[in-house]
Amino acid sequence: MGAWRAAGARALLHVAVPKLAVVALAAIALTACRQDMHDQPRYEPLEANPFFADKRASRPQVAGTVARGQLREDEHFYFGTVNGEPAASFPAPVTRAMIEHGRQRFEIFCTPCHGRLGNGDGMVAQRGFRHPPTYHSEQLREAPVGHFFDVITNGFGSMYSFNDRIPAEDRWAIIAYIRTLQFSQAAPLNELPAAVRQEFEQAVSQ
């Protein structure tokens, strides 16, 4: 009889121990289900904070603060000016790769209004909005490159600023492509390659 009781006790122990372990784990899990990791003791952006006089948790930058990599000492490159005047030259040599990159950026950001050739007949203008000026007017052909940089950066007339959409390097690439478009529509005959000049002269004489 005693052997049967001992065996029964052992059997109950084998069943009870796993159940107790499950209960213990559940208790630990339930006590851990708190919101401390979600609602951390910190302020969210633009959240109110009564500690400051203006009640804002997000503090304004200290005057003169410059983020790393944004010092922008190069006036020519970052502002398109030289001694405060619109730059007449590019801040770096213009390469074919730069022009190709400028074409890509131009077709993304500029073509909708200015058209692929810069004539001011983009799809936005065709749908009834104000036509931008053509790049091929004498005024814009003679405008310094710094003028285009300023317009892209700050906007002009109906055109809004692209400062937050197009970095300075891409602005210069776009301007290089604009100069290429201008040259393509008003190139002096004597500056064309011989084969192209011959083809043009034949077409005119017919």
Side-chain angles (χ1 to χ4, degrees):
M1 188 70 175
W4 281 101
R5 288 181 179 177
R10 285 195 297 272
L12 289 174
L13 184 63
H14 283 300
V15 173
V17 168
K19 289 185 177 180
L20 288 173
V22 171
V23 172
L25 290 173
I28 294 172
L30 289 173
T31 56
C33 289
R34 299 171 61 185
Q35 293 298 311
D36 291 349
M37 291 300 292
H38 298 282
D39 299 329
Q40 299 179 26
R42 61 182 175 83
Y43 287 99
E44 300 293 338
L46 305 180
E47 190 174 358
N49 183 354
F51 179 82
F52 298 102
D54 59 6
K55 303 297 188 294
R56 294 187 302 171
S58 299
R59 309 310 305 150
Q61 293 181 346
V62 177
T65 299
V66 178
R68 180 175 295 179
Q70 296 185 11
L71 186 56
R72 299 185 175 182
E73 288 183 301
D74 191 338
E75 175 192 357
H76 193 173
F77 180 78
Y78 286 108
F79 301 99
T81 58
V82 175
N83 297 324
E85 296 295 327
S89 61
F90 287 85
V94 176
T95 63
R96 185 181 183 88
M98 178 181 180
I99 295 173
E100 286 292 340
H101 182 66
R103 179 187 62 79
Q104 181 196 46
R105 299 289 95 184
F106 180 90
E107 291 182 352
I108 293 173
F109 293 104
C110 310
T111 295
C113 293
H114 291 276
R116 288 184 175 274
L117 295 178
N119 292 322
D121 59 353
M123 187 56 64
V124 171
Q126 292 180 35
R127 291 182 180 272
F129 288 84
R130 183 177 179 180
H131 285 248
T134 174
Y135 290 137
H136 308 294
S137 67
E138 184 177 358
Q139 179 184 2
L140 289 183
R141 281 202 304 268
E142 295 180 355
V145 290
H147 166 75
F148 296 96
F149 190 92
D150 178 70
V151 171
I152 297 173
T153 304
N154 301 308
F156 186 85
S158 300
M159 175 178 165
Y160 52 80
S161 167
F162 281 85
N163 183 46
D164 61 337
R165 298 170 179 83
I166 307 176
E169 183 177 4
D170 286 359
R171 283 174 241 168
W172 285 116
I174 289 173
I175 297 166
Y177 184 66
I178 290 174
R179 283 297 197 225
T180 303
L181 286 177
Q182 291 175 326
F183 184 81
S184 72
Q185 302 300 304
L189 186 61
N190 60 353
E191 293 189 22
L192 296 176
V196 176
R197 185 167 60 247
Q198 182 179 4
E199 182 181 352
F200 176 79
E201 291 174 344
Q202 290 176 350
V204 171
S205 61
Q206 291 178 356

